[in-house]
Amino acid sequence: MKRASYHNHTVFSDGADTPADFMRQAVAQGIEILGFSDHYYREGPGAQTAPEWALQPRLDERYFENIAEVAAHAPIEIRVGLEFDWLDGSAAWYEAPAKDPRLDYAIGSVHFVGKQSIDTDRAFWGSLSPEEVNETHRRYWLAVRDMAESRLFDIAGHIDLCKKFAFYPSEDLTPIIRDALDAVKAADMVVELNTSGWAKDCRECYPSDAILRACFHREIPVTVSADAHRAAFVCANFSRAYDHLARAGYREIARFRGRERFFESLEP
Ligand SMILES: [Zn+2]
Ligand SMILES: [Zn+2]
C-alpha cells in the first residue's frame, strides 16, 4: 500500500513549514503521496481578506503555483487540496473555489457554530452550561449535515471535532449524528481518520469508535490524515490508524487524484 497523507497545513495558512519542507519530510518518512490542504475561509462572495490562520485571497494563485513547483521536483506524488471552512450559507460562495479544476480533492470541515470557533478555545467550552454544551454539539452536527448536503467536498474533515476539549453532551445525539452520516453517505464523501485527536484532550482519533463503526456500517470509505501543522508530523500515528481501521473492519482506503477516487488495499 502506498502511504498517502492528504491533510496538511503549510505557511500558506496556519502551518509552520513550507510545502517544500513537507515534501522533504514526507520523503524521509516514507510517504509516497503527499497532499496539501491549507485552510480556506471566506466570509462571503468576493471577500478580500481572510483570518491570519487561513489562506489569504491575494495568495490563492501563489498557493497553486508553489505546490506545482514543489511537485515538479518531487520524487513522490504531490496532490493539491484545500480544507474549506464550512460557515452558515457558505455553499453559495464556496461552489466555485471548491470546484477549482486544479484541486485533486476538497475537504469540508466544520470549525464554527454560528460565529463561534469550537476548536480553538477550551475556555469557551468551560463557560457553557450543560444545556449550552448540548446545544453546541447539536448545532455542530447540523452544520456537518449541511456541509455534506452541499455536495461540494470529497472528504469530511475530523468529523466529530466537537469533542476535542472533552466536553461531551449529556443527551443522546445518536439521531442527529445518524442524519449527518446519512448525508455524508448520500453525498458519496469519504471520512478521514484524523490522527490529531489522539494528542488532544479527547484522547481519541476523529472519528470515535462508535462513529467509525457507523461509517463502516454505511460503507462510507475512509482515508487517513494527520492534520499536520508541522512537517515532522506528516504521518504521525499512521500505523496506529491503519490498525485501528482494520479492527473496525475496513479493508481498503481511498486515494485522490484530479477529483477522482481510487481504492487501495489496507494490507501493508
Ligand atoms: Zn480542521
Ligand atoms: Zn486541518
Side-chain angles (χ1 to χ4, degrees):
M1 178 183 73
K2 282 186 177 175
R3 276 195 165 205
S5 175
Y6 292 112
H7 188 154
N8 297 297
H9 297 277
T10 74
V11 291
F12 279 98
S13 62
D14 59 350
D17 298 311
T18 65
D21 294 330
F22 268 89
M23 188 270 284
R24 282 188 286 271
Q25 271 292 329
V27 171
Q29 298 194 33
I31 292 284
E32 292 167 271
I33 306 171
L34 172 65
F36 297 98
S37 63
D38 275 299
H39 287 288
Y40 190 97
Y41 175 105
R42 303 289 152 85
E43 283 197 342
Q48 297 299 305
T49 58
E52 62 180 8
W53 48 264
L55 178 64
Q56 298 303 309
R58 65 185 166 77
L59 294 178
D60 280 358
E61 292 301 313
R62 188 72 197 119
Y63 178 68
F64 288 103
E65 288 167 9
N66 187 270
I67 293 171
E69 286 161 16
V70 170
H73 300 100
I76 57 174
E77 298 176 51
I78 301 293
R79 304 282 184 265
V80 57
L82 285 167
E83 182 183 13
F84 287 87
D85 216 305
W86 182 258
L87 303 167
D88 291 340
S90 60
W93 61 90
Y94 282 173
E95 175 146 14
K99 299 290 182 198
D100 190 313
R102 293 171 293 186
L103 290 176
D104 289 297
Y105 55 92
I107 301 174
S109 292
V110 176
H111 303 108
F112 288 85
V113 165
K115 295 281 185 191
Q116 177 64 50
S117 164
I118 55 102
D119 72 322
T120 49
D121 188 4
R122 192 175 201 288
F124 158 70
W125 284 96
S127 73
L128 300 181
S129 68
E131 176 44 36
E132 288 168 335
V133 169
N134 290 342
E135 174 71 9
T136 305
H137 278 272
R138 241 182 277 131
R139 291 177 67 195
Y140 173 85
W141 283 104
L142 288 172
V144 172
R145 186 197 65 191
D146 291 348
M147 179 275 289
E149 287 181 345
S150 76
R151 303 207 170 204
L152 293 177
F153 312 111
D154 305 287
I155 302 170
H158 41 61
I159 196 163
D160 56 351
L161 181 69
C162 52
K163 72 182 178 191
K164 175 176 174 179
F165 294 111
F167 287 84
Y168 298 102
S170 59
E171 67 177 344
D172 179 15
L173 294 183
T174 303
I176 206 166
I177 294 172
R178 193 176 56 213
D179 286 351
L181 295 181
D182 287 344
V184 166
K185 175 64 181 175
D188 196 27
M189 293 173 76
V190 167
V191 164
E192 63 174 14
L193 191 160
N194 185 314
T195 65
S196 71
W198 274 315
K200 302 298 193 302
D201 292 352
C202 58
R203 295 278 158 199
E204 61 179 20
C205 64
Y206 311 106
S208 67
D209 284 351
I211 293 173
L212 189 61
R213 280 199 303 275
C215 291
F216 182 72
H217 177 71
R218 285 169 175 73
E219 300 184 342
I220 295 172
V222 285
T223 183
V224 171
S225 73
D227 209 343
H229 289 69
R230 289 184 180 277
F233 299 142
V234 67
C235 56
N237 280 314
F238 269 32
S239 295
R240 185 178 178 185
Y242 297 139
D243 289 347
H244 201 74
L245 288 176
R247 274 199 303 278
Y250 280 97
R251 295 289 173 265
E252 55 185 17
I253 200 162
R255 298 274 177 263
F256 301 89
R257 181 176 193 168
R259 303 312 283 269
E260 281 198 72
R261 192 169 73 196
F262 309 88
F263 289 97
E264 200 173 349
S265 169
L266 246 179
E267 298 295 316

